[in-house]
Amino acid sequence: MIAGAAHRAAMMAVTLFGVALVVFVLLRVAPGDPIAMMIGPGASPADIVALRAHYGLDGSLPMQFAVWLGAMLHGDFGTSISLRRDVVALIGERLPATLELAFCALGVALVLGIALAVIGTLGKRRAGEAVVDGATGLLLAIPDFVWALLLVLLFGVAVPLFPMSGRVDPSLGAQFHTPFYLLEALVTGQGAAVRDAAAHLVMPVLALALPLAAIIARVLKGALDEAMVQDYVLLARVKGFSELRIVTREALRNAIGPTLALTGVQFTFLLGGTVIVERIFSFPGLGNMAIEGVINRDLPLIQGIVLTFGFLFILTNLVVDLTVVGLNPKLRHG
Amino acid sequence: MVGLSPQHALSRRQTMALGAGGFIASLLAGRIPVQAADNGTLTIAYHVNLPSFDPTMGPSGVNPSIQAIYRSVFDQYIGQKPDLSWEPGLLTAWGWNEDKTKIWMDVRPGVTWHDGSPLTPEDIVWSLTRAGDPKGANSIQFIWSKIANFKIDGQKITADVVSFEPTIFMWMGFMTGYVMPKAYFEKVGADGFEKKPIGTGPYMVDEYQGNAFLRLKANPHYWGPKPAFETVVFKFVTDATSRVAEIESGSSDLTLEIPYEEYDRLRAKPGFAGVATPVSDIGLIFITNVAPMLDKNVRMAAHLAIDKEALVKRLLKGYGVPISTLEAPIYTAYDPAIKIAYDPKKAAELLKASGFSPEKPVKFTIQTTRGYKPKDYEMIQAIVGMWRKVGIQAEIEVYEIAKHYELRLSGKLGPAAFYNWGNATGDPTNSTGFAMFPMSPHSAWKGPEVLGMIGPLWGEKDETKRIAGWKAVDRAVADDALIIPLLQYVQPVIFKKALKVTANESAAMQPTLVAKA
C-alpha cells in the first residue's frame, strides 16, 4: 500500500517535471518576446538589456530553467510580468472560481447525462430512444465555446434571463471571505448572494456541461443496454418490479462504474474547456487569466497556470483510478 | 409536512422537485429583463482587462486601452481635452526658462488624495523621480530621466533639464504621466497599493475583481467638475460578441470597440445612440530596407496601387480616414499638401521601369495580424489583390502581434508588415519620429534617408522650426515611400439614448466624458 502510494507520488513528480520542462522550453521557442511588447518608443539597446535583466530573461535557457525550477521547489513561481504580482497568489485567487465552475458543470453533466441515459433506456425501441439519441448527438456535435455563444444569444440577448459576465453582479456588494463564492454563500446562508452567484454560473456551466452530458448519456446508455439483458434484470421483471425501478435501482448501479471512470477522464477536458468559456463569459477564473497571460507573453504566469492545470489533470486521474478501484472489489488486490 | 392532511402531504421527491423549481424561479426573479443599474450608475462593457493599478510601471503603463480607467482614478500632471489639446491637471501652469535649461511647474493647491490626505509638491517630485529611475520598470523612463535636481518652493517646483526634450510636458498628460501618492505608497508598498489603490481622480476604487469588473465611486472632494454618476462599473468583457450582447440586453449602458457592422445595426435600434470618431490610431504598412524594397520604384508602386478610399468604404463601412503620412489630420504636424493619390497606372509604369509587370511580378512577403485590428487581414488581402493588378505578387504571412513586436525589435520584419500606431499626444515625435528614426527600436526602415533630418529635431528648442522640420521629414518619407500609411481608425462607441457621450480623440473612453442626456 505504502509502496504503491510512493510509486504514484514519484510518477506524479516525474510527470510534473516533464510538464514544467516542456512548457518552459515551448514558451521560449514560441514566437513573442515579452520585452519587445513593453519597451518605450525611445528605448536604447542598453534600456532593453536592462529590462531583460530586470525580468530575469537575460541568462541562458538552462540557467533560466534551473533558477525557475529552484524557486518553484520553494513555492516561488515568480512574479507576473503583466500583473506585477506573485504568481502563486494570483493562481490562488483565480483557481477557486475555475474549480467552482468546473465542479458545477460536472454535477450538471452527470445529472443530465444520467437522466438522458435512463430515459433512453426506458424508451428503448420507441420514440423516447430516438429523441435521446438525437439530443445527445446534437449536444455532442456542438463544442462548448459554440454552446457558450448560442447561450449568450439565447438567454443573454433574445430572452435575457441570466447575466452574461462575471461571477457576481457588481452592485451586489456582498463581502466574500473566501474565493469560493457560491459555496460560501450557501454555507453562510446568504440567499441573495447564492441566487446571484448561481445565476452567473448558469450559462457558463451549461456551455461546459452539455457536451459532457452527451458523452455520459451515450456511454451509460450502452452500459444500461448490456445490463438490461442480464439475469438479475430478468429476475426483477419476474418479481414484478416496474421498468423505472429496474433501470434506476438494479441496472444503473451495475452500469455506472465505467461511466464514472470515463467521466473522470472527461473532466480533464472540461477543465481545458474552461479557458475559452471563461473568456466568453468574462468569468474571472484561471482560464481567463491564462489567455491574458498568453496575449501579454507573461512567461511566469503562463508557466504557473500550465503547471497548475497539469497538477489538476494528474490529480483527477489519480482520483479516478482510486474511485474505480473502490467501486470494483476485483481490482483492489489485483 | 406539518399542517397538511395525509392526502396533501408531499413526498420526498416532490419536495425536492419543488425546492429545485423554487430555486430556479428565484434565479429568474428580478432578471426579466436584465437591466443595467439605476440612473446613478454607469456600466461600461469594457474591451480590455485592467492588469495593474499602478499607471506608471510595467506593460500596463504603456497600454493605451487602459488609460480611460487610470484617468478615472488618478490625475495626470497635465490634463488632455478630448480634442487632444492640453489643459491644467494637477499642475496649473508649467514651462521652461528662457534658455530651456530648467523647467518649472505650479502644483494645484487644495487637492486631496482619496484617503483624505493632501496632495503635496513632494508627491509630484517623488512621482517624477520614481518614473525616471533606471532601476524601476517605467517604460518611458528615458523621457522622465531628462529632468532632475528638483527644488520645491511653496507650490512651485523647478528642475534642471538634463537633456532637452521638447515633448516632456506632453508626456505629463500621456502614458505613465500620472501622479502617485508618495506617503501612502511608501506605507503600503507596491502590493498594498494594488490591493487598495488611491489617487486624486474623479472616481475612487470601491471594488475590483480581476478579469470581471471594477466598481468606482464618485470622489466627493474632487477638485474638478463633479462626476455625473455616483457609481461607475467597468465590466471587463474582452469578447466583442459578448460586449454586443451586454449592450443589447441592457446589462451595460455603453460599450466600445465592436465590429462596425454591429455598431450600425445597434445604432439603428430604438433606445441606442452612437458616436464614431476618428481617433489617434492609424493603420500602416511598415517597409523594411531589404530586397526588393531597396528599389524605390517598387516601394512607390506599392503605395500608389492601394485604393485607400475603397478599403475604408468597402471593408470598414466608411469608418476610417485615408492618410498619406504618419500624421493624422488631428496631429500637430499634419500637412494636407502631402498626398499620395491612388494611381495604379503610374504604379505599373514605375514597376515596368524596374523590369516588373503583372506577367513578371516582383515578389515579396507581407506580414499581418488577423483580428487584432478591425478587418486587418481582409484589408491586406484586398491590398494584395490591388498589387497583383500592377505587377506585385505578395504572399501573406499571418502572425500574432507579439511576434510582430519581437521581429521589429530584432530588425527581422518582412519586407512589408501591417501594423497600427497610436499617438495620443499628436506630436510628430511620437509618430513619424519613433516610427522612422533608424535608431528607434520601433522603426522598420533602417536606411539613412531621413536620419540626418530627424537627428537635430529631437533637441530642437524652437517649436515652429521643430514642427516645420517634422513636416519636411514627412515629405521626404512620402517622396521616398519609406512607409505606407493607410488610414486613421474610427472608434465606435454605442450607448443608451439616455446618455450623452463626448467622443475622445485619444480613444480613452473616460466616464467623465459621459453624462445623462
Side-chain angles (χ1 to χ4, degrees), chain B residues 77-130:
Chain B
Y77 304 92
I78 294 170
Q80 190 177 33
K81 293 179 187 171
D83 65 355
L84 303 189
S85 61
W86 308 104
E87 63 181 349
L90 290 181
L91 301 182
T92 53
W94 58 88
W96 279 281
N97 66 350
E98 192 70 19
D99 61 359
K100 298 195 172 175
T101 54
K102 286 184 185 296
I103 64 164
W104 58 268
M105 301 170 279
D106 286 348
V107 180
R108 183 180 294 279
V111 177
T112 55
W113 293 100
H114 293 159
D115 66 353
S117 59
L119 169 89
T120 64
E122 282 78 9
D123 289 316
I124 305 277
V125 170
W126 179 77
S127 298
L128 286 169
T129 309
R130 179 171 175 257

Short mmCIF file of all heavy atoms in Angstrom, two decimals, chain B residues 77-130:
data_model
loop_
_atom_site.label_atom_id
_atom_site.label_comp_id
_atom_site.label_asym_id
_atom_site.label_seq_id
_atom_site.Cartn_x
_atom_site.Cartn_y
_atom_site.Cartn_z
N TYR B 77 -0.29 64.95 -14.48
CA TYR B 77 0.35 66.24 -14.18
C TYR B 77 -0.38 67.31 -15.00
O TYR B 77 -0.73 68.37 -14.51
CB TYR B 77 1.82 66.22 -14.58
CG TYR B 77 2.62 65.12 -13.94
CD1 TYR B 77 2.80 63.89 -14.56
CD2 TYR B 77 3.24 65.33 -12.71
CE1 TYR B 77 3.53 62.88 -13.98
CE2 TYR B 77 3.98 64.33 -12.11
CZ TYR B 77 4.13 63.10 -12.75
OH TYR B 77 4.86 62.11 -12.16
N ILE B 78 -0.58 66.97 -16.27
CA ILE B 78 -1.25 67.89 -17.19
C ILE B 78 -2.42 67.15 -17.82
O ILE B 78 -2.30 65.98 -18.20
CB ILE B 78 -0.25 68.37 -18.28
CG1 ILE B 78 0.84 69.22 -17.62
CG2 ILE B 78 -0.96 69.13 -19.39
CD1 ILE B 78 2.01 69.55 -18.51
N GLY B 79 -3.55 67.81 -17.90
CA GLY B 79 -4.72 67.15 -18.45
C GLY B 79 -4.77 67.24 -19.97
O GLY B 79 -4.04 68.02 -20.59
N GLN B 80 -5.63 66.43 -20.55
CA GLN B 80 -5.79 66.47 -22.01
C GLN B 80 -7.27 66.50 -22.35
O GLN B 80 -8.05 65.69 -21.86
CB GLN B 80 -5.13 65.25 -22.67
CG GLN B 80 -5.07 65.37 -24.18
CD GLN B 80 -4.35 64.20 -24.84
OE1 GLN B 80 -4.41 63.09 -24.36
NE2 GLN B 80 -3.66 64.48 -25.93
N LYS B 81 -7.65 67.43 -23.19
CA LYS B 81 -9.04 67.56 -23.60
C LYS B 81 -9.36 66.51 -24.67
O LYS B 81 -8.44 65.96 -25.29
CB LYS B 81 -9.29 68.97 -24.16
CG LYS B 81 -9.17 70.07 -23.11
CD LYS B 81 -9.42 71.42 -23.78
CE LYS B 81 -9.14 72.56 -22.83
NZ LYS B 81 -9.16 73.85 -23.50
N PRO B 82 -10.64 66.27 -24.93
CA PRO B 82 -11.00 65.28 -25.94
C PRO B 82 -10.46 65.59 -27.34
O PRO B 82 -10.36 64.71 -28.18
CB PRO B 82 -12.53 65.30 -25.93
CG PRO B 82 -12.90 65.79 -24.59
CD PRO B 82 -11.83 66.77 -24.20
N ASP B 83 -10.12 66.87 -27.59
CA ASP B 83 -9.58 67.20 -28.92
C ASP B 83 -8.05 67.14 -28.93
O ASP B 83 -7.40 67.64 -29.84
CB ASP B 83 -10.05 68.59 -29.37
CG ASP B 83 -9.50 69.70 -28.47
OD1 ASP B 83 -8.84 69.39 -27.46
OD2 ASP B 83 -9.74 70.88 -28.78
N LEU B 84 -7.48 66.52 -27.92
CA LEU B 84 -6.03 66.30 -27.76
C LEU B 84 -5.27 67.54 -27.28
O LEU B 84 -4.05 67.47 -27.09
CB LEU B 84 -5.36 65.76 -29.04
CG LEU B 84 -5.90 64.47 -29.63
CD1 LEU B 84 -4.97 63.99 -30.76
CD2 LEU B 84 -6.04 63.37 -28.61
N SER B 85 -5.95 68.65 -27.11
CA SER B 85 -5.23 69.83 -26.61
C SER B 85 -5.01 69.67 -25.10
O SER B 85 -5.68 68.87 -24.44
CB SER B 85 -6.01 71.11 -26.91
OG SER B 85 -7.26 71.08 -26.26
N TRP B 86 -4.07 70.46 -24.56
CA TRP B 86 -3.68 70.29 -23.16
C TRP B 86 -4.39 71.28 -22.26
O TRP B 86 -4.73 72.38 -22.68
CB TRP B 86 -2.15 70.44 -23.03
CG TRP B 86 -1.43 69.54 -23.98
CD1 TRP B 86 -0.82 69.90 -25.14
CD2 TRP B 86 -1.30 68.12 -23.89
NE1 TRP B 86 -0.31 68.79 -25.79
CE2 TRP B 86 -0.60 67.67 -25.04
CE3 TRP B 86 -1.73 67.16 -22.97
CZ2 TRP B 86 -0.30 66.34 -25.27
CZ3 TRP B 86 -1.42 65.82 -23.21
CH2 TRP B 86 -0.73 65.43 -24.34
N GLU B 87 -4.58 70.87 -21.01
CA GLU B 87 -5.24 71.74 -20.04
C GLU B 87 -4.63 71.47 -18.67
O GLU B 87 -4.00 70.43 -18.47
CB GLU B 87 -6.75 71.48 -20.00
CG GLU B 87 -7.11 70.07 -19.53
CD GLU B 87 -8.61 69.83 -19.51
OE1 GLU B 87 -9.37 70.79 -19.67
OE2 GLU B 87 -9.01 68.66 -19.33
N PRO B 88 -4.80 72.39 -17.73
CA PRO B 88 -4.24 72.15 -16.40
C PRO B 88 -4.78 70.87 -15.78
O PRO B 88 -5.96 70.55 -15.92
CB PRO B 88 -4.70 73.37 -15.61
CG PRO B 88 -4.90 74.44 -16.63
CD PRO B 88 -5.42 73.72 -17.85
N GLY B 89 -3.86 70.14 -15.15
CA GLY B 89 -4.24 68.94 -14.40
C GLY B 89 -3.87 69.19 -12.95
O GLY B 89 -4.35 70.16 -12.36
N LEU B 90 -2.99 68.37 -12.42
CA LEU B 90 -2.51 68.67 -11.07
C LEU B 90 -1.47 69.79 -11.12
O LEU B 90 -1.11 70.34 -10.09
CB LEU B 90 -1.94 67.42 -10.40
CG LEU B 90 -3.01 66.38 -10.04
CD1 LEU B 90 -2.39 65.17 -9.37
CD2 LEU B 90 -4.11 66.98 -9.17
N LEU B 91 -1.01 70.09 -12.30
CA LEU B 91 -0.19 71.30 -12.49
C LEU B 91 -1.10 72.37 -13.08
O LEU B 91 -1.82 72.11 -14.05
CB LEU B 91 0.97 71.04 -13.45
CG LEU B 91 1.97 69.94 -13.07
CD1 LEU B 91 3.08 69.85 -14.11
CD2 LEU B 91 2.56 70.18 -11.69
N THR B 92 -1.08 73.53 -12.50
CA THR B 92 -1.94 74.61 -13.02
C THR B 92 -1.20 75.43 -14.07
O THR B 92 -1.82 76.08 -14.91
CB THR B 92 -2.39 75.54 -11.88
OG1 THR B 92 -1.22 75.98 -11.17
CG2 THR B 92 -3.30 74.80 -10.92
N ALA B 93 0.11 75.41 -14.01
CA ALA B 93 0.91 76.12 -15.01
C ALA B 93 2.27 75.43 -15.09
O ALA B 93 2.71 74.79 -14.12
CB ALA B 93 1.08 77.58 -14.62
N TRP B 94 2.95 75.56 -16.22
CA TRP B 94 4.23 74.89 -16.42
C TRP B 94 4.98 75.57 -17.55
O TRP B 94 4.38 76.31 -18.35
CB TRP B 94 4.00 73.41 -16.72
CG TRP B 94 3.12 73.20 -17.94
CD1 TRP B 94 3.50 73.12 -19.23
CD2 TRP B 94 1.68 73.10 -17.95
NE1 TRP B 94 2.41 72.96 -20.06
CE2 TRP B 94 1.28 72.93 -19.30
CE3 TRP B 94 0.70 73.11 -16.95
CZ2 TRP B 94 -0.05 72.79 -19.68
CZ3 TRP B 94 -0.64 72.98 -17.32
CH2 TRP B 94 -1.00 72.82 -18.67
N GLY B 95 6.25 75.32 -17.63
CA GLY B 95 7.02 75.89 -18.73
C GLY B 95 8.51 75.73 -18.54
O GLY B 95 8.98 75.13 -17.56
N TRP B 96 9.26 76.27 -19.54
CA TRP B 96 10.72 76.27 -19.48
C TRP B 96 11.21 77.67 -19.12
O TRP B 96 10.46 78.65 -19.28
CB TRP B 96 11.30 75.93 -20.86
CG TRP B 96 11.34 74.48 -21.20
CD1 TRP B 96 12.25 73.56 -20.78
CD2 TRP B 96 10.46 73.77 -22.09
NE1 TRP B 96 11.99 72.32 -21.33
CE2 TRP B 96 10.89 72.42 -22.13
CE3 TRP B 96 9.34 74.13 -22.82
CZ2 TRP B 96 10.26 71.45 -22.89
CZ3 TRP B 96 8.71 73.17 -23.58
CH2 TRP B 96 9.16 71.85 -23.62
N ASN B 97 12.43 77.76 -18.70
CA ASN B 97 13.03 79.09 -18.56
C ASN B 97 13.47 79.57 -19.95
O ASN B 97 13.27 78.87 -20.97
CB ASN B 97 14.20 79.07 -17.56
CG ASN B 97 15.36 78.22 -18.06
OD1 ASN B 97 15.23 77.50 -19.05
ND2 ASN B 97 16.50 78.29 -17.39
N GLU B 98 14.07 80.74 -19.99
CA GLU B 98 14.40 81.37 -21.27
C GLU B 98 15.24 80.47 -22.18
O GLU B 98 14.91 80.27 -23.36
CB GLU B 98 15.14 82.69 -20.98
CG GLU B 98 15.31 83.61 -22.17
CD GLU B 98 13.99 84.25 -22.63
OE1 GLU B 98 13.00 84.28 -21.85
OE2 GLU B 98 13.96 84.68 -23.78
N ASP B 99 16.34 79.93 -21.63
CA ASP B 99 17.23 79.12 -22.49
C ASP B 99 16.91 77.62 -22.42
O ASP B 99 17.67 76.79 -22.87
CB ASP B 99 18.70 79.38 -22.11
CG ASP B 99 19.00 79.00 -20.67
OD1 ASP B 99 18.05 78.56 -19.97
OD2 ASP B 99 20.16 79.13 -20.24
N LYS B 100 15.79 77.31 -21.81
CA LYS B 100 15.29 75.93 -21.74
C LYS B 100 16.28 74.97 -21.08
O LYS B 100 16.41 73.81 -21.49
CB LYS B 100 14.88 75.46 -23.14
CG LYS B 100 13.74 76.32 -23.71
CD LYS B 100 13.05 75.73 -24.89
CE LYS B 100 11.82 76.58 -25.25
NZ LYS B 100 11.13 76.17 -26.43
N THR B 101 16.92 75.48 -20.05
CA THR B 101 17.81 74.62 -19.26
C THR B 101 17.12 74.20 -17.96
O THR B 101 17.65 73.38 -17.22
CB THR B 101 19.11 75.36 -18.90
OG1 THR B 101 18.76 76.60 -18.25
CG2 THR B 101 19.94 75.64 -20.14
N LYS B 102 16.00 74.80 -17.69
CA LYS B 102 15.22 74.45 -16.49
C LYS B 102 13.74 74.39 -16.85
O LYS B 102 13.31 75.02 -17.82
CB LYS B 102 15.42 75.51 -15.40
CG LYS B 102 16.78 75.46 -14.69
CD LYS B 102 16.83 76.48 -13.57
CE LYS B 102 18.21 76.54 -12.93
NZ LYS B 102 18.59 75.29 -12.27
N ILE B 103 13.00 73.63 -16.03
CA ILE B 103 11.54 73.68 -16.16
C ILE B 103 10.94 74.13 -14.83
O ILE B 103 11.58 74.01 -13.79
CB ILE B 103 10.94 72.31 -16.56
CG1 ILE B 103 11.17 71.25 -15.47
CG2 ILE B 103 11.45 71.83 -17.90
CD1 ILE B 103 10.28 70.03 -15.61
N TRP B 104 9.74 74.64 -14.89
CA TRP B 104 9.02 74.99 -13.67
C TRP B 104 7.59 74.48 -13.74
O TRP B 104 7.02 74.34 -14.84
CB TRP B 104 9.04 76.51 -13.41
CG TRP B 104 8.44 77.31 -14.56
CD1 TRP B 104 9.11 77.83 -15.62
CD2 TRP B 104 7.05 77.65 -14.74
NE1 TRP B 104 8.23 78.47 -16.47
CE2 TRP B 104 6.95 78.38 -15.94
CE3 TRP B 104 5.90 77.41 -14.01
CZ2 TRP B 104 5.75 78.87 -16.43
CZ3 TRP B 104 4.69 77.91 -14.49
CH2 TRP B 104 4.62 78.62 -15.70
N MET B 105 7.03 74.17 -12.59
CA MET B 105 5.67 73.63 -12.54
C MET B 105 4.97 74.18 -11.31
O MET B 105 5.55 74.17 -10.22
CB MET B 105 5.72 72.09 -12.43
CG MET B 105 6.44 71.41 -13.57
SD MET B 105 6.73 69.65 -13.27
CE MET B 105 8.18 69.69 -12.24
N ASP B 106 3.75 74.64 -11.46
CA ASP B 106 2.94 75.10 -10.33
C ASP B 106 1.95 74.01 -9.95
O ASP B 106 1.16 73.57 -10.80
CB ASP B 106 2.17 76.38 -10.69
CG ASP B 106 3.09 77.59 -10.76
OD1 ASP B 106 4.25 77.47 -10.30
OD2 ASP B 106 2.67 78.64 -11.28
N VAL B 107 2.00 73.60 -8.69
CA VAL B 107 1.14 72.49 -8.24
C VAL B 107 -0.20 73.04 -7.75
O VAL B 107 -0.25 74.02 -7.01
CB VAL B 107 1.84 71.71 -7.11
CG1 VAL B 107 0.95 70.55 -6.64
CG2 VAL B 107 3.19 71.18 -7.58
N ARG B 108 -1.26 72.38 -8.18
CA ARG B 108 -2.62 72.82 -7.80
C ARG B 108 -2.79 72.70 -6.29
O ARG B 108 -2.57 71.63 -5.72
CB ARG B 108 -3.65 71.94 -8.52
CG ARG B 108 -5.09 72.33 -8.27
CD ARG B 108 -6.03 71.40 -9.03
NE ARG B 108 -5.90 71.55 -10.47
CZ ARG B 108 -6.48 72.51 -11.20
NH1 ARG B 108 -7.24 73.41 -10.60
NH2 ARG B 108 -6.29 72.57 -12.50
N PRO B 109 -3.22 73.76 -5.66
CA PRO B 109 -3.44 73.68 -4.21
C PRO B 109 -4.82 73.11 -3.88
O PRO B 109 -5.72 73.10 -4.73
CB PRO B 109 -3.35 75.15 -3.76
CG PRO B 109 -3.78 75.92 -4.97
CD PRO B 109 -3.45 75.11 -6.18
N GLY B 110 -4.98 72.60 -2.67
CA GLY B 110 -6.29 72.17 -2.18
C GLY B 110 -6.76 70.83 -2.71
O GLY B 110 -7.94 70.50 -2.57
N VAL B 111 -5.87 70.06 -3.32
CA VAL B 111 -6.26 68.74 -3.84
C VAL B 111 -6.01 67.69 -2.76
O VAL B 111 -5.01 67.76 -2.04
CB VAL B 111 -5.44 68.39 -5.11
CG1 VAL B 111 -5.80 66.99 -5.61
CG2 VAL B 111 -5.68 69.42 -6.19
N THR B 112 -6.92 66.74 -2.62
CA THR B 112 -6.71 65.68 -1.63
C THR B 112 -6.71 64.31 -2.31
O THR B 112 -7.35 64.10 -3.34
CB THR B 112 -7.82 65.67 -0.55
OG1 THR B 112 -9.09 65.58 -1.21
CG2 THR B 112 -7.77 66.91 0.31
N TRP B 113 -5.96 63.41 -1.68
CA TRP B 113 -5.97 62.01 -2.13
C TRP B 113 -7.27 61.37 -1.66
O TRP B 113 -7.96 61.93 -0.80
CB TRP B 113 -4.76 61.26 -1.54
CG TRP B 113 -3.46 61.74 -2.09
CD1 TRP B 113 -2.60 62.59 -1.48
CD2 TRP B 113 -2.89 61.42 -3.36
NE1 TRP B 113 -1.52 62.83 -2.29
CE2 TRP B 113 -1.67 62.13 -3.46
CE3 TRP B 113 -3.28 60.63 -4.42
CZ2 TRP B 113 -0.85 62.05 -4.58
CZ3 TRP B 113 -2.46 60.55 -5.54
CH2 TRP B 113 -1.27 61.25 -5.61
N HIS B 114 -7.57 60.21 -2.20
CA HIS B 114 -8.83 59.54 -1.84
C HIS B 114 -8.89 59.16 -0.36
O HIS B 114 -9.98 58.91 0.17
CB HIS B 114 -9.02 58.28 -2.70
CG HIS B 114 -9.25 58.60 -4.14
ND1 HIS B 114 -9.02 57.70 -5.16
CD2 HIS B 114 -9.65 59.75 -4.76
CE1 HIS B 114 -9.30 58.26 -6.33
NE2 HIS B 114 -9.67 59.51 -6.11
N ASP B 115 -7.74 59.11 0.31
CA ASP B 115 -7.76 58.81 1.75
C ASP B 115 -7.88 60.08 2.59
O ASP B 115 -7.80 60.03 3.82
CB ASP B 115 -6.52 58.00 2.15
CG ASP B 115 -5.23 58.79 2.00
OD1 ASP B 115 -5.27 59.92 1.47
OD2 ASP B 115 -4.17 58.29 2.42
N GLY B 116 -8.03 61.20 1.92
CA GLY B 116 -8.25 62.46 2.63
C GLY B 116 -6.99 63.27 2.87
O GLY B 116 -7.07 64.44 3.26
N SER B 117 -5.82 62.68 2.65
CA SER B 117 -4.57 63.42 2.88
C SER B 117 -4.33 64.38 1.71
O SER B 117 -4.78 64.15 0.59
CB SER B 117 -3.40 62.44 3.02
OG SER B 117 -3.29 61.65 1.86
N PRO B 118 -3.62 65.48 1.98
CA PRO B 118 -3.45 66.49 0.93
C PRO B 118 -2.38 66.10 -0.10
O PRO B 118 -1.38 65.46 0.25
CB PRO B 118 -3.01 67.72 1.71
CG PRO B 118 -2.37 67.18 2.95
CD PRO B 118 -3.05 65.89 3.27
N LEU B 119 -2.62 66.49 -1.33
CA LEU B 119 -1.59 66.35 -2.37
C LEU B 119 -0.53 67.43 -2.13
O LEU B 119 -0.88 68.59 -1.88
CB LEU B 119 -2.21 66.56 -3.75
CG LEU B 119 -1.19 66.71 -4.89
CD1 LEU B 119 -0.85 65.34 -5.47
CD2 LEU B 119 -1.72 67.63 -5.99
N THR B 120 0.73 67.02 -2.20
CA THR B 120 1.80 67.98 -1.95
C THR B 120 2.76 68.01 -3.13
O THR B 120 2.80 67.06 -3.93
CB THR B 120 2.61 67.59 -0.69
OG1 THR B 120 3.24 66.33 -0.95
CG2 THR B 120 1.71 67.47 0.53
N PRO B 121 3.55 69.07 -3.24
CA PRO B 121 4.57 69.09 -4.30
C PRO B 121 5.54 67.92 -4.17
O PRO B 121 6.10 67.47 -5.17
CB PRO B 121 5.27 70.43 -4.07
CG PRO B 121 4.24 71.30 -3.41
CD PRO B 121 3.45 70.37 -2.53
N GLU B 122 5.71 67.42 -2.92
CA GLU B 122 6.58 66.25 -2.73
C GLU B 122 6.05 65.04 -3.50
O GLU B 122 6.82 64.22 -4.02
CB GLU B 122 6.69 65.90 -1.24
CG GLU B 122 7.63 66.79 -0.42
CD GLU B 122 7.01 68.13 -0.06
OE1 GLU B 122 5.79 68.32 -0.29
OE2 GLU B 122 7.74 69.02 0.42
N ASP B 123 4.71 64.92 -3.57
CA ASP B 123 4.12 63.81 -4.34
C ASP B 123 4.53 63.92 -5.81
O ASP B 123 4.84 62.92 -6.47
CB ASP B 123 2.59 63.87 -4.25
CG ASP B 123 2.07 63.47 -2.87
OD1 ASP B 123 2.57 62.48 -2.31
OD2 ASP B 123 1.18 64.16 -2.36
N ILE B 124 4.51 65.13 -6.33
CA ILE B 124 4.85 65.36 -7.74
C ILE B 124 6.32 64.99 -7.97
O ILE B 124 6.65 64.24 -8.91
CB ILE B 124 4.63 66.84 -8.13
CG1 ILE B 124 3.19 67.28 -7.81
CG2 ILE B 124 5.03 67.10 -9.57
CD1 ILE B 124 2.16 66.96 -8.81
N VAL B 125 7.18 65.50 -7.11
CA VAL B 125 8.62 65.25 -7.28
C VAL B 125 8.92 63.76 -7.14
O VAL B 125 9.66 63.18 -7.94
CB VAL B 125 9.42 66.08 -6.24
CG1 VAL B 125 10.88 65.64 -6.22
CG2 VAL B 125 9.31 67.56 -6.55
N TRP B 126 8.32 63.14 -6.13
CA TRP B 126 8.54 61.70 -5.92
C TRP B 126 8.08 60.90 -7.14
O TRP B 126 8.76 59.97 -7.59
CB TRP B 126 7.78 61.25 -4.67
CG TRP B 126 7.92 59.79 -4.37
CD1 TRP B 126 9.00 59.17 -3.80
CD2 TRP B 126 6.96 58.76 -4.63
NE1 TRP B 126 8.76 57.81 -3.69
CE2 TRP B 126 7.51 57.54 -4.19
CE3 TRP B 126 5.68 58.76 -5.18
CZ2 TRP B 126 6.84 56.33 -4.28
CZ3 TRP B 126 5.01 57.54 -5.28
CH2 TRP B 126 5.58 56.35 -4.84
N SER B 127 6.91 61.27 -7.68
CA SER B 127 6.38 60.54 -8.84
C SER B 127 7.30 60.69 -10.05
O SER B 127 7.57 59.72 -10.77
CB SER B 127 4.98 61.05 -9.20
OG SER B 127 4.09 60.85 -8.14
N LEU B 128 7.79 61.90 -10.27
CA LEU B 128 8.68 62.12 -11.42
C LEU B 128 10.02 61.41 -11.23
O LEU B 128 10.58 60.84 -12.17
CB LEU B 128 8.90 63.63 -11.62
CG LEU B 128 7.72 64.40 -12.21
CD1 LEU B 128 7.94 65.91 -12.12
CD2 LEU B 128 7.50 64.00 -13.68
N THR B 129 10.53 61.44 -10.00
CA THR B 129 11.81 60.79 -9.71
C THR B 129 11.68 59.27 -9.87
O THR B 129 12.54 58.62 -10.45
CB THR B 129 12.26 61.12 -8.27
OG1 THR B 129 12.21 62.53 -8.10
CG2 THR B 129 13.67 60.62 -8.02
N ARG B 130 10.59 58.74 -9.34
CA ARG B 130 10.36 57.29 -9.43
C ARG B 130 10.23 56.86 -10.90
O ARG B 130 10.75 55.83 -11.32
CB ARG B 130 9.06 56.96 -8.67
CG ARG B 130 8.67 55.51 -8.67
CD ARG B 130 7.51 55.29 -7.70
NE ARG B 130 7.02 53.93 -7.75
CZ ARG B 130 5.90 53.55 -8.37
NH1 ARG B 130 5.16 54.45 -8.99
NH2 ARG B 130 5.53 52.30 -8.39
#
